[in-house]
Amino acid sequence: MLYSSAPLVINYQCALETARQDEKHAAARVEKRAPDVVTEVVVGATATVFELDGKIVDAATAKAGLAEGEYIIVGETTPTFVPPPPPPPATSSAAPLRAQFVEEPISSPAAPTTTSAPPPPPTTTAQATTSSAPPPPKTSKPAQSSPSSGATGLDADFPSGKISCKTFPSEYGAVALDWLGTGGWSGLQFVPNYSPDAQSISDIITGVAGQTCSKGAMCSYACPPGYQKTQWPKAQGATLQSIGGLYCNEDGFLELTRPDHPKLCEAGAGGVTIKNDLDDSVCTCRTDYPGIESMVIPACTSAGETIELTNPDETDYYVWDGKTTSAQYYVNKKGYAVEDACVWNSPLDPKGAGNWSPINIGTGKTADGTTWLSIFENLPTSSAKLDFNIEITGDVNSKCSYIDGAWTGGDKGCTTSMPSGGKAVIRYF
C-alpha cells in the first residue's frame, strides 16, 4: 500500500492464487490478509497490478474474483524500511514527510499438502466460517482490557521440553486468547515433517477453532502490550510462509524454537503509546507474525486509558527472506469487545471489523534509531469508515492525522517519524 503527501496512484501489486474450498479446514470464501507491515520508502507514481501464475490479470477481473472468493492475495513479505536520512528535530513548521510505505508481495505457489491430511489452505489465509445471517446490532459493551506489561512470568525462563502441550504457558508471560477457540493460542500451524535441523518446511496445515496445541504443531501465542513473542523456528515456509511459536514435540511437550531466547516475551523498542481520549473502549489488534498472520493480538484501551504499543526493533527481531519486521495493527470502531475486534471475521460487524477494520497503523524502529509511524486506510480490503479521529503527536517530524474523515500528511494515509529516544502518542479522540 502506497501513500504520499503528493498526489499518487495507489500501488498494490498483488500475487493471486485460486481459492480452494475445503469444508473441514477452510471457509467457503477467503479474502486478503495483511501480515505485519511490509514497508519500503519509494518515490514516484505507480499503478495497481494483479498477477496470477506469472500472468497479469486486469484489475476488473481480479477485483471481481476477490469479491467472489475465486482468488486470494498471497505472498506478502515481511516488513522492510529503506528510509531517507534521519529527520530533523520536530518543529511546528515541519513539512509533511514526502515518503511512501509500500507492501511488497512475493508471487509464490501454495505449500504442498501432506498425504495423510486434507489439502491445507494457503498459510496467508484465515480459517473462518461465513454466515448468511445478518450481523447483530452494534453494542457498546466494554472491550476486554489487555493485561498490563507487568504480567507475572515475563521474566521467567521457559523450561523447554518440560511442560505439556495441553498447558497454555500463562505463567511465563504468554496471554491466552480464549475467544479464538484454540486453547488460548494465537495460531496453530501443523508441520508434520518438521525437525529442529530442517532447512525449510513444506507441509503446513493451519489450525482452526476447535483444535489446540498437539503433537507436530507450532503453537503461537500473544504477549502483553509493549511485548512480543520470541519464538519461531529457523526453518520457515518453503514458499516463504512465516511460521512462529513453540513446538509441540512427539512426546507431547512444548519446546523452545529459539533456545537462545528462553523467555517467551520480550519488550519492543518502546517510545510509542496509544492514548484513548474517547468515552468508549477501542481495540487495536496486531497480526500474529510470524505465524498465521491473523489480526488477533490485542491492545485494547478503555475510555481515558493509555497503553504502550509494541514497537519492533528491526535489528533484533524476526528476519525472513532478507527482510526485517515492523508491526501492523488493525484499528476497530469504538465500543467493540475484543472477541468482536481481534478476530479475522467479526460476528458483530463482518465487513467493518477484524480483517475489515477501517484503519491500519504501522510502526517499527530501523537500524539508524528512527521509528517510523503510519496511519492508513485498510485498502483494498475494507470500505468501512472509522467513527472517531486519530492523530500522532509527540517527538515526530511532521503532522499525521485522520480527523473527520480527512487526512493531514497524505491522501489515503500518512507517515511520520520519531528520532531515537523520542516519544510518540497515537491519540484516539
Side-chain angles (χ1 to χ4, degrees):
M1 299 175 188
L2 180 59
Y3 306 104
S4 173
S5 56
L8 287 175
V9 179
I10 296 175
N11 173 24
Y12 198 97
Q13 184 177 8
C14 301
L16 300 177
E17 178 176 295
T18 301
R20 292 176 293 177
Q21 296 183 2
D22 184 317
E23 295 180 356
K24 183 176 180 182
H25 288 276
R29 185 183 299 269
V30 289
E31 311 250 1
K32 172 188 174 289
R33 81 167 56 216
D36 279 12
V37 177
V38 179
T39 56
E40 180 181 359
V41 179
V42 297
V43 179
T46 50
T48 302
V49 177
F50 295 88
E51 182 178 320
L52 175 64
D53 295 332
K55 298 180 180 179
I56 300 302
V57 177
D58 68 86
T61 300
K63 291 177 181 178
L66 286 166
E68 295 299 323
E70 296 176 0
Y71 302 134
I72 57 174
I73 298 175
V74 299
E76 298 172 348
T77 67
T78 59
T80 180
F81 292 111
V82 183
T91 66
S92 59
S93 61
L97 180 68
R98 294 187 177 274
Q100 303 94 38
F101 281 72
V102 57
E103 289 192 354
E104 293 182 357
I106 295 179
S107 180
S108 60
T113 63
T114 64
T115 57
S116 59
T123 58
T124 55
T125 301
Q127 306 304 300
T129 56
T130 58
S131 170
S132 59
K138 177 184 172 183
T139 66
S140 294
K141 59 182 177 179
Q144 174 178 314
S145 295
S146 300
S148 70
S149 59
T152 302
L154 282 171
D155 295 327
D157 288 352
F158 184 79
S160 186
K162 303 294 184 181
I163 293 179
S164 170
C165 300
K166 297 178 182 180
T167 301
F168 185 81
S170 299
E171 294 182 359
Y172 297 89
V175 177
L177 310 184
D178 295 326
W179 64 91
L180 299 179
T182 50
W185 302 96
S186 58
L188 302 171
Q189 294 171 295
F190 294 93
V191 287
N193 296 327
Y194 169 77
S195 65
D197 58 352
Q199 299 301 305
S200 64
I201 303 173
S202 59
D203 297 333
I204 307 166
I205 304 171
T206 303
V208 297
Q211 295 178 311
T212 189
C213 187
S214 57
K215 295 178 183 179
M218 291 290 173
C219 306
S220 188
Y221 56 92
C223 291
Y227 287 77
Q228 56 198 354
K229 71 169 179 271
T230 62
Q231 300 302 303
W232 55 84
K234 181 178 180 181
Q236 292 285 294
T239 49
L240 300 182
Q241 305 93 334
S242 74
I243 299 172
L246 296 165
Y247 178 60
C248 182
N249 66 24
E250 61 182 9
D251 297 320
F253 289 90
L254 295 167
E255 290 184 357
L256 293 169
T257 46
R258 297 175 76 209
D260 57 338
H261 287 69
K263 293 176 176 58
L264 296 189
C265 298
E266 66 182 9
V272 181
T273 57
I274 290 176
K275 187 176 189 295
N276 182 1
D277 281 338
L278 296 165
D279 59 0
D280 212 337
S281 58
V282 177
C283 275
T284 306
C285 312
R286 182 181 176 179
T287 53
D288 179 30
Y289 185 80
I292 65 168
E293 299 175 13
S294 187
M295 55 298 298
V296 297
I297 311 297
C300 299
T301 54
S302 299
E305 186 179 10
T306 296
I307 64 169
E308 186 172 1
L309 194 67
T310 308
N311 177 27
D313 185 336
E314 71 168 19
T315 64
D316 190 31
Y317 204 57
Y318 178 72
V319 176
W320 178 225
D321 192 36
K323 299 175 178 64
T324 54
T325 300
S326 62
Q328 178 158 309
Y329 296 89
Y330 287 67
V331 183
N332 286 268
K333 300 170 189 175
K334 63 182 180 180
Y336 285 14
V338 68
E339 62 268 22
D340 297 318
C342 296
V343 292
W344 181 270
N345 281 321
S346 171
L348 176 67
D349 189 356
K351 293 301 180 182
N355 183 55
W356 289 267
S357 298
I359 295 292
N360 295 132
I361 289 174
T363 180
K365 183 177 181 179
T366 54
D368 65 356
T370 303
T371 289
W372 295 87
L373 303 120
S374 58
I375 315 169
F376 50 98
E377 294 181 17
N378 186 12
L379 297 173
T381 303
S382 177
S383 60
K385 299 301 180 183
L386 199 64
D387 54 357
F388 57 88
N389 301 321
I390 306 178
E391 65 178 358
I392 302 177
T393 63
D395 303 321
V396 293
N397 81 325
S398 61
K399 292 183 178 180
C400 181
S401 65
Y402 176 76
I403 300 175
D404 297 332
W407 292 96
T408 299
D411 181 15
K412 297 182 184 298
C414 56
T415 298
T416 189
S417 62
M418 175 183 76
S420 180
K423 301 290 182 183
V425 177
I426 300 173
R427 178 177 173 244
Y428 299 160
F429 64 103

